[in-house]
Amino acid sequence: MTNSMTAFANSEMDFENLTINCELRSVNHRYCDINLKIPERFRFAEPNIRHGISDKLKRGKIECSLSFKKHSFAQQKLTIDMDAVTALLSTTQEIEQLINKPQAFSALEVLAFPGIQIEKESDKAALLQTLLRLVESATDNLLLARQREGAQLSQLISSRCVKLQKLVNQAQRRMPQVLEHLRAKFKHHIAELVAEPNNDRVEQEMVLLTQKLDVDEELDRLDTHIMEVLRILEQNEPIGRRLDFLMQEMNREANTLGSKSADKEMIKAHHPLKIRETEPKRSDDF
């Protein structure tokens, strides 16, 4: 199945008195580039998290953000380091003597000071397993989002390829009429300009003109490229670079068709065939 390169996913799990959240963002990139934004208390798990992501995501610029929030105070018992509180208040009093108008602070502000609350040491092995399950869940959600968008993009490209095939078939059926019309028009002009035209020379010129305007080869190559795009879209592997190459080749053939077009109907068929170079290329998004 064709996968998009852009997606967003998140997942959430509880561990002890924490609710941990994981967010994953993915955009296009040639390789697998993982950027982690994690709190310091989860830093020990960084190598395992990177390995867990790269094991499932082979391409893309991946941004993984981990955050947590503590449960309400009603669900946990606070342990205070009273020695740290005493040292804080003592130091504060010394500083206040140097200030003209010291401002009082509340007990809540004391509790918020780093090192005052003693947090229970978490079981690192259990925390690591929770983090890995959380990241795995977010990664699976990201893959599903990639698949959904990829399926839509694949359908859009396939529908356009079908339309292109119809235009190529129309152009192939039209070519004999175009060449015959040019032959008749050329002979008519020669007859008007020359009283006794050299028929052998006229035929030679007609052969050269027909060869110059013959686009059978371009139409065949364009048809082959379209079939190859449809085949590649069914592959279960990264296809962006191959699609990008084929789009360039299809654009080349369409430009050649346009330069050789000598018939109004052929020119009409050429314009939908041409892939505009000014449009952003989305082929690398797979």
Side-chain angles (χ1 to χ4, degrees):
M1 178 180 291
T2 301
N3 293 325
S4 172
M5 294 294 290
T6 58
F8 170 84
N10 67 340
S11 190
E12 194 173 80
M13 285 187 181
D14 288 335
F15 177 78
E16 295 181 351
N17 66 325
L18 303 176
T19 296
I20 309 174
N21 180 269
C22 176
E23 287 189 356
L24 283 176
R25 290 177 172 83
S26 169
V27 295
N28 179 46
H29 196 273
R30 183 177 297 181
Y31 307 107
C32 183
D33 181 15
I34 302 173
N35 180 29
L36 292 182
K37 296 180 179 179
I38 59 179
E40 193 61 35
R41 71 187 299 168
F42 299 156
R43 188 68 60 185
F44 74 96
E46 181 174 347
N48 303 82
I49 293 174
R50 285 186 179 275
H51 183 269
I53 295 175
S54 62
D55 191 49
K56 290 195 171 187
L57 302 177
K58 303 304 181 183
R59 285 187 57 202
K61 188 175 181 64
I62 315 297
E63 181 178 302
C64 175
S65 299
L66 287 175
S67 61
F68 68 90
K69 59 182 178 180
K70 297 180 181 179
H71 296 169
S72 63
F73 286 131
Q75 298 177 0
Q76 59 180 307
K77 182 179 179 180
L78 295 179
T79 303
I80 308 300
D81 186 344
M82 297 308 299
D83 292 335
V85 173
T86 302
L88 174 63
L89 294 177
S90 176
T91 304
T92 302
Q93 289 173 358
E94 293 178 6
I95 296 175
E96 286 178 344
Q97 293 176 2
L98 304 176
I99 302 176
N100 292 331
K101 294 181 179 180
Q103 295 181 351
F105 52 91
S106 66
L108 289 178
E109 291 174 318
V110 175
L111 287 174
F113 197 86
I116 298 300
Q117 297 184 44
I118 302 176
E119 296 188 9
K120 180 182 176 182
E121 189 71 21
S122 298
D123 183 347
K124 282 195 173 183
L127 177 57
L128 175 61
Q129 293 305 313
T130 300
L131 292 174
L132 293 181
R133 288 198 305 270
L134 175 63
V135 172
E136 182 181 18
S137 174
T139 305
D140 289 340
N141 292 338
L142 188 79
L143 287 171
L144 289 175
R146 278 185 168 190
Q147 290 175 3
R148 287 193 300 269
E149 185 172 331
Q152 293 176 348
L153 291 173
S154 178
Q155 185 176 2
L156 290 173
I157 295 174
S158 297
S159 64
R160 281 160 174 75
C161 284
V162 171
K163 292 178 182 179
L164 288 176
Q165 279 184 320
K166 291 180 180 179
L167 292 171
V168 170
N169 293 335
Q170 292 174 10
Q172 288 173 331
R173 291 193 299 268
R174 177 70 180 169
M175 275 307 300
Q177 302 175 36
V178 172
L179 295 177
E180 184 59 34
H181 174 72
L182 288 174
R183 178 184 294 272
K185 187 176 180 180
F186 188 71
K187 285 184 175 181
H188 177 71
H189 286 315
I190 293 296
E192 288 182 343
L193 296 174
V194 183
E196 295 182 2
N198 185 333
N199 290 327
D200 292 337
R201 179 61 184 274
V202 170
E203 288 299 324
Q204 290 176 3
E205 293 295 331
M206 278 303 307
V207 170
L208 293 175
L209 181 62
T210 301
Q211 291 176 349
K212 180 179 179 181
L213 297 177
D214 185 16
V215 293
D216 283 342
E217 185 178 349
E218 286 79 7
L219 290 173
D220 288 340
R221 282 202 295 262
L222 188 55
D223 189 47
T224 301
H225 292 332
I226 293 171
M227 290 188 292
E228 181 64 10
V229 170
L230 293 173
R231 187 192 70 82
I232 287 177
L233 288 173
E234 300 297 325
Q235 301 300 304
N236 189 25
E237 58 187 33
I239 61 175
R241 298 180 69 181
R242 283 184 290 168
L243 277 182
D244 188 33
F245 170 76
L246 285 171
M247 295 304 159
Q248 293 179 35
E249 293 302 306
M250 291 168 68
N251 193 64
R252 191 196 313 276
E253 303 302 338
N255 283 332
T256 304
L257 285 170
S259 65
K260 288 186 175 183
S261 294
D263 176 74
K264 181 173 66 175
E265 295 300 322
M266 292 290 288
I267 293 175
K268 287 182 179 179
H270 156 256
H271 283 295
L273 285 172
K274 190 175 186 301
I275 303 170
R276 295 183 182 177
E277 296 179 355
T278 56
E279 292 181 352
K281 295 177 181 177
R282 294 301 303 274
S283 59
D284 266 347
D285 282 356
F286 298 91

